[in-house]
Amino acid sequence: MTPVARRIALSLIALTMATTAPAETLEEAWQLALSGSFKMLAAEEQQLAAQQQISSAKAARLPTFTVAADYVKLDNPPTVQGQFGGAPFEFAYWQTESLFYSALSSVPLYSGGRITAGIKSAEATQAAAIAAKANTASVVKIAVAQAYIGVLRAEDAIRLSDSHLQSVTAHQTDASNLYRQGMVARNDVLMADVTLANARQQALQAKYQSDIARSAYNQLLNRPLDTPFKLDPIAVPQLIETVDQLTTLALVNRADLEVLEHRTAALDYDAKTATAITRPQINLNTSYLFLENEFQKHENVWTTNVSLLWPIFDGGVSRHRSGALHRQAAAMKAQHDELNSLIALQVRQAWLDVTQTRERIKIAGGAVAQAEENLVASRNRYQAGLISNTALLDAETLRMQAHNNHDNAIYDATLALLQLKQVVGIL
C-alpha cells in the first residue's frame, strides 16, 4: 500500500469510528480539557509551590546544623616573648600548620513573631493558589463551552445552508421550466442562477467555518486539530433562582474574590514579618570545636549559649518595607471591594441575557413555522404566475433568517446560562 493510500485508509477508519462512536458530552469535553490544559498545569504548579513555601516557613522553627573545616599554614608560628627576672624569653603557642573542625546547632527560642507571621503568609498564599486554580478551571470550562457551542452552531449553519441550496436549486429548476414554456422572462432565470451561485458560496463558507470551529475545539481538548468527533446536544435546564439569590450565591462562591482575599491577608502577614525583624531574636546555640594545636592542652571544645540579637535601628529599612507591604495589601483590598461591588451587576447582566435569549427562542420558534408556510405558499403562487420572482426569493430569505434566528437564540440561551453559572461561581 502506498503512503497516500495508507493515509486515505486511516482517514476513512477515523471517520468511521467518529460516525459509530458515541457523541461527546460537554462534561466529557471539560474533563479532557482540564486534564491536559497548560493553564491548569501552571495553576497546579503554583499550588505546589505554595505548599513548598509553607514547608519552608515551618522549617524555620527547626534546629539548624552547620559544619565547617579549615586548614591553616603560617610562615612563622605565633610566639610570645618577654622578660622574666631580667632574662628574655619566648615560646610558641601555635604550630605553623593546623586543622580546624567545627559544628554548630542553633534553635530559635523567640523571633518576635517573625516565624509565625511567615507561616501565616505562606498558608494564605496557598489558599490563594487553590482559589486561583478553581478560577482557572472555570475559565477553561467556559472557553470549552464556547467552542463546543460554536461547533454545534456551525453544524446547524451547514444544515441550513444545504437546505437553502436545495430550495434555491428547486426554484432555479422551476424558473428554467417556466422560461422554456414562455411563462416568465429570462430575467427570472438569471436571478435564480445568481441566487444559486450565492447559495453554493454560502454552503462552502459554512463548511469552512465548521472546520475552523472543530479545529478550535480540538485544540482546547489538546488533541490533533483534525480529530473527528460527534457532539451531544446540550439540554438547557430551567432557571429557578431569582437574581438576588444568585447574587448572594456569587458573593460566597466566586473564586477570584477569594483569591484577592487571601492575597491581601498574605501581604498583611508579610508586613508583620518585616516589622518582627526589628524585635529581639533569641537563639539557643550549641557548638563543638576541634583546634589542632600541640601546644594546647584540650583541643576539643564544647559550648552552649543563649544569644540575643536585637537590631534596634536599621536605618528605617524594616519600617519602610512593612509600610510598603501594608500599602500593597490596601491596594489589593481595594481591588477586592471593587470586584465585590461589580458582582451584583455581572450577575444581573448574565441573568438578563438568559431571560431575553429564552424569550427569543419562543418568538423565533413561531416565526420558523410561519416562514416555512410562507415559502410553500409563495412557491405555489409563483408557479401559478401570481407573484414575481423577487417575492419568492424574499420568502426564501425570510425562511433562512427565521431558522438562523431560532438556532442562534437556542445556542445563545445555552451559552448565556453557562456564563451565568461562571459569574455565580458554580461552573
Side-chain angles (χ1 to χ4, degrees):
M1 182 181 293
T2 64
V4 174
R6 187 180 298 109
R7 284 197 296 269
I8 294 175
L10 291 174
S11 299
L12 291 174
I13 292 172
L15 182 60
T16 303
M17 292 177 62
T19 305
T20 58
E24 290 179 355
T25 65
L26 183 56
E27 288 288 342
E28 292 171 342
W30 281 340
Q31 293 301 320
L32 288 172
L34 291 174
S35 63
S37 170
F38 291 108
K39 291 182 179 179
M40 290 301 298
L41 178 60
E44 178 69 22
E45 291 297 332
Q46 289 290 346
Q47 183 179 337
L48 294 175
Q51 180 61 49
Q52 292 294 323
Q53 189 174 348
I54 292 177
S55 300
S56 175
K58 289 182 177 179
R61 289 174 171 171
L62 302 177
T64 60
F65 184 74
T66 307
V67 295
D70 297 276
Y71 168 76
V72 178
K73 181 176 178 59
L74 307 175
D75 58 346
N76 293 299
T79 304
V80 176
Q81 65 179 6
Q83 291 186 348
F84 183 76
F89 72 90
E90 62 180 32
F91 64 89
Y93 63 88
W94 208 276
Q95 58 197 51
T96 57
E97 294 185 28
S98 59
L99 292 173
F100 295 80
Y101 303 96
S102 64
L104 172 66
S105 178
S106 180
V107 180
L109 300 179
Y110 176 73
S111 65
R114 174 178 55 84
I115 296 177
T116 301
I119 294 173
K120 293 292 185 183
S121 174
E123 290 174 343
T125 300
Q126 185 195 36
I130 293 173
K133 182 180 177 182
N135 188 61
T136 301
S138 177
V139 171
V140 172
K141 280 186 172 184
I142 197 65
V144 171
Q146 289 172 341
Y148 190 103
I149 292 173
V151 172
L152 294 177
R153 197 191 299 263
E155 289 176 349
D156 273 355
I158 290 178
R159 286 191 288 269
L160 184 58
S161 64
D162 288 343
S163 172
H164 176 58
L165 181 59
Q166 293 174 4
S167 178
V168 172
T169 300
H171 169 62
Q172 195 273 347
T173 301
D174 290 342
S176 298
N177 291 336
L178 291 174
Y179 171 69
R180 284 193 294 270
Q181 297 172 16
M183 298 179 61
V184 297
R186 177 169 171 73
N187 182 63
D188 284 15
V189 178
L190 295 176
M191 186 178 293
D193 289 339
V194 172
T195 304
L196 180 59
N198 290 337
R200 288 170 177 165
Q201 183 174 339
Q202 290 174 9
L204 181 63
Q205 290 175 341
K207 290 181 173 61
Y208 173 75
Q209 293 299 325
S210 176
D211 192 7
I212 293 177
R214 295 176 73 87
S215 298
Y217 175 75
N218 278 327
Q219 188 274 331
L220 286 173
L221 269 60
N222 305 289
R223 60 192 185 190
L225 301 184
D226 58 351
T227 302
F229 59 86
K230 291 193 304 181
L231 296 184
D232 195 36
I234 303 176
V236 184
Q238 293 297 319
L239 186 63
I240 58 175
E241 295 86 355
T242 65
V243 66
D244 292 334
Q245 291 172 330
L246 293 171
T247 301
T248 303
L249 192 60
L251 293 172
V252 175
N253 291 336
R254 283 284 289 267
D256 49 352
L257 201 61
E258 188 178 354
V259 169
L260 294 175
E261 290 176 0
H262 292 306
R263 287 179 178 173
T264 301
L267 287 170
D268 282 330
Y269 284 121
D270 288 341
K272 292 180 180 179
T273 301
T275 302
I277 294 177
T278 61
R279 296 172 184 162
Q281 311 291 311
I282 302 176
N283 295 330
L284 173 63
N285 306 309
T286 300
S287 64
Y288 166 77
L289 179 64
F290 174 81
L291 307 175
E292 186 182 49
N293 185 6
E294 62 183 7
F295 302 106
Q296 184 173 312
K297 181 177 181 180
H298 301 289
E299 293 182 327
N300 300 310
V301 179
W302 284 91
T303 63
T304 300
N305 70 290
V306 176
S307 63
L308 169 64
L309 178 63
W310 192 348
I312 297 176
F313 180 70
D314 63 355
V317 173
S318 300
R319 176 171 56 85
H320 291 308
R321 183 170 183 273
S322 177
L325 290 168
H326 276 305
R327 293 294 183 183
Q328 292 177 22
M332 193 71 68
K333 179 65 166 54
Q335 294 179 30
H336 173 274
D337 293 342
E338 181 184 25
L339 178 58
N340 193 72
S341 65
L342 284 174
I343 283 178
L345 176 61
Q346 292 175 348
V347 172
R348 176 169 288 275
Q349 288 177 334
W351 184 81
L352 289 174
D353 285 342
V354 173
T355 303
Q356 65 95 4
T357 51
R358 291 187 172 181
E359 290 298 324
R360 283 169 50 198
I361 292 175
K362 296 177 183 178
I363 297 172
V368 167
Q370 295 169 351
E372 290 286 356
E373 183 179 353
N374 178 59
L375 178 61
V376 172
S378 297
R379 182 173 289 120
N380 293 334
R381 289 168 62 83
Y382 174 73
Q383 292 173 351
L386 299 177
I387 61 172
S388 66
N389 183 56
T390 303
L392 176 57
L393 293 178
D394 287 343
E396 171 61 18
T397 300
L398 288 176
R399 185 185 76 90
M400 286 284 293
Q401 184 176 359
H403 276 283
N404 190 53
N405 289 341
H406 186 246
D407 291 343
N408 284 331
I410 292 174
Y411 293 124
D412 289 346
T414 305
L415 185 57
L417 182 61
L418 292 171
Q419 289 172 334
L420 176 60
K421 288 185 175 181
Q422 184 194 28
V423 168
V424 174
I426 57 176
L427 183 62

